[in-house]
Amino acid sequence: MTIKVFGHKSPDTDSTGSPLIWAWYLSEVRGQPAEAKLLGEPNTEAAFVLKKWGVEMPEIISDVAEGDKVVIVDTNNPAELPASIGAADVIQIIDHHKLTGGLETKAPIDITIKPLACTATIMHNLMGPNDGKMTDTIKGLMLSCILSDTLEFRSPTTTQQDRDLAEKLAKELGLSVSDYAAEMFEAKSDVSAFSDAELLRMDSKEYAVGDTKFRVSVLETTAPKIVLDRKASLMETMETVAREDGVDQVLLFVVDILNEEATLLVPNELTKTVAEKSFDATVEGDSVVLPGVMSRKKQIIPALKV
């Protein structure tokens, strides 16, 4: 049976590239037939990366069937996975997020969760000496994942291991890290074709603080003005998205990659309370700038209070 390898819903570059990397490794190195899948349309940066390295976009699936052999990457959260994940035969998890819990497997499995900035870096570790078998395409995908998840080493989640691997891969590929990252971030910043609802769901995760459920959305961009010019309509659409997705509030953080700060939109008293309690911010008006805040995983979600 062919193994299905996929990441989380609303796939970013890491959840698009890492399934391709690991499906290649399983198939070509370990001799276990595997295919990468996606749980939604990739974001603009991930789509750029696929085109850059000449990779066909993996099939998008909405669910899994009972008994499907599955490897989960870049998440371990059941809320970010297919509804029937409990019926599948999950054989491996490779992730760099905190352990959420809630997944039940049919047998003992191989789990690797490490405090690195990127799933692809962990995969490189797991390959060991077999990393020498990587093609330029696989190296390009791996480099892209690391630069995306570290925001070209600006994110506080970045480790020396992530940086060293990215620089090694770039050298082998004959690429300038800064030039290639700029290309990726330009693609990420082009959100003009997306509706407000699509932007709010593009890179988002559900998270509960006590009895309050949030959709925590992050838009990383080198051109924040493009998003912030749509502030009024985005805040209006938050109500619709929250209602449709069964959460109490959408929190939208617009991360300015170059200035290393985030702007949180503040449409109501609940969000104002979150901003003031979580980030010690003083809110005046319908948005607040949070200097140095760039990582949802390390600086946003762990800080949330209501």
Side-chain angles (χ1 to χ4, degrees):
M1 178 181 290
T2 300
I3 300 167
K4 295 179 179 178
V5 187
F6 51 77
H8 54 71
K9 297 175 183 177
S10 303
D12 55 10
T13 298
D14 197 18
S15 260
T16 301
S18 285
L20 286 160
I21 294 166
W22 204 244
W24 167 84
Y25 177 71
L26 291 175
S27 298
E28 300 300 323
V29 178
R30 292 176 52 175
Q32 300 173 276
E35 292 181 354
K37 305 293 182 183
L38 295 178
L39 300 186
E41 287 286 340
N43 68 16
T44 52
E45 182 187 76
F48 162 81
V49 167
L50 292 176
K51 184 176 180 181
K52 171 77 175 181
W53 297 103
V55 180
E56 185 176 345
M57 187 176 78
E59 177 190 10
I60 297 174
I61 61 173
S62 58
D63 208 349
V64 290
E66 184 172 358
D68 279 353
K69 287 192 175 298
V70 165
V71 173
I72 298 169
V73 304
D74 197 31
T75 186
N76 65 84
N77 185 349
E80 299 175 348
L81 294 167
S84 302
I85 193 64
D89 183 9
V90 179
I91 61 174
Q92 187 175 27
I93 297 173
I94 307 171
D95 191 18
H96 64 130
H97 297 88
K98 73 172 186 175
L99 186 62
T100 300
L103 279 174
E104 184 174 343
T105 61
K106 298 182 180 302
I109 69 169
D110 184 351
I111 299 179
T112 305
I113 301 177
K114 289 187 175 294
L116 297 174
C118 181
T119 308
T121 308
I122 302 171
M123 290 178 172
H124 183 266
N125 290 349
L126 294 174
M127 289 181 189
N130 288 310
D131 69 339
K133 299 178 181 179
M134 290 194 297
T135 64
D136 282 357
T137 296
I138 296 300
K139 291 178 182 178
L141 291 172
M142 188 172 285
L143 172 63
S144 304
C145 292
I146 298 169
L147 293 179
S148 178
D149 266 13
T150 65
L151 297 177
E152 195 193 352
F153 317 135
R154 294 175 175 88
S155 171
T157 62
T158 306
T159 70
Q160 192 62 45
Q161 191 174 151
D162 295 296
R163 179 189 288 270
D164 289 347
L165 177 56
E167 291 175 346
K168 173 179 177 290
L169 293 168
K171 183 177 180 179
E172 291 174 358
L173 292 166
L175 293 175
S176 158
V177 165
S178 58
D179 288 349
Y180 181 49
E183 286 186 77
M184 289 176 53
F185 298 156
E186 182 179 356
K188 183 187 302 214
S189 300
D190 182 12
V191 295
S192 56
F194 294 91
S195 69
D196 291 337
E198 287 171 331
L199 285 182
L200 293 172
R201 293 186 174 106
M202 183 177 289
D203 185 1
S204 66
K205 297 180 183 292
E206 293 183 18
Y207 184 73
V209 180
D211 294 330
T212 306
K213 295 180 181 179
F214 293 106
R215 175 170 290 284
V216 185
S217 302
V218 174
L219 288 176
E220 298 161 343
T221 177
T222 56
K225 186 176 185 300
I226 294 175
V227 178
L228 296 176
D229 281 348
R230 296 167 60 172
K231 180 166 56 176
S233 60
L234 281 166
M235 290 193 296
E236 185 176 338
T237 306
M238 284 178 180
E239 296 183 18
T240 303
V241 170
R243 183 172 61 253
E244 291 177 351
D245 294 1
V247 299
D248 297 294
Q249 182 63 49
V250 176
L251 302 178
L252 176 61
F253 296 81
V254 182
V255 173
D256 184 334
I257 297 171
L258 299 181
N259 289 320
E260 301 188 18
E261 63 185 21
T263 299
L264 170 63
L265 302 194
V266 184
N268 52 39
E269 284 299 315
L270 173 58
T271 312
K272 180 180 179 182
T273 299
V274 169
E276 292 178 341
K277 286 187 176 182
S278 306
F279 304 101
D280 196 25
T282 301
V283 178
E284 296 178 359
D286 56 10
S287 64
V288 59
V289 175
L290 307 172
V293 173
M294 302 187 66
S295 169
R296 171 172 47 206
K297 180 173 62 176
K298 192 166 185 176
Q299 296 172 303
I300 295 175
I301 283 183
L304 291 181
K305 302 180 180 68
V306 293

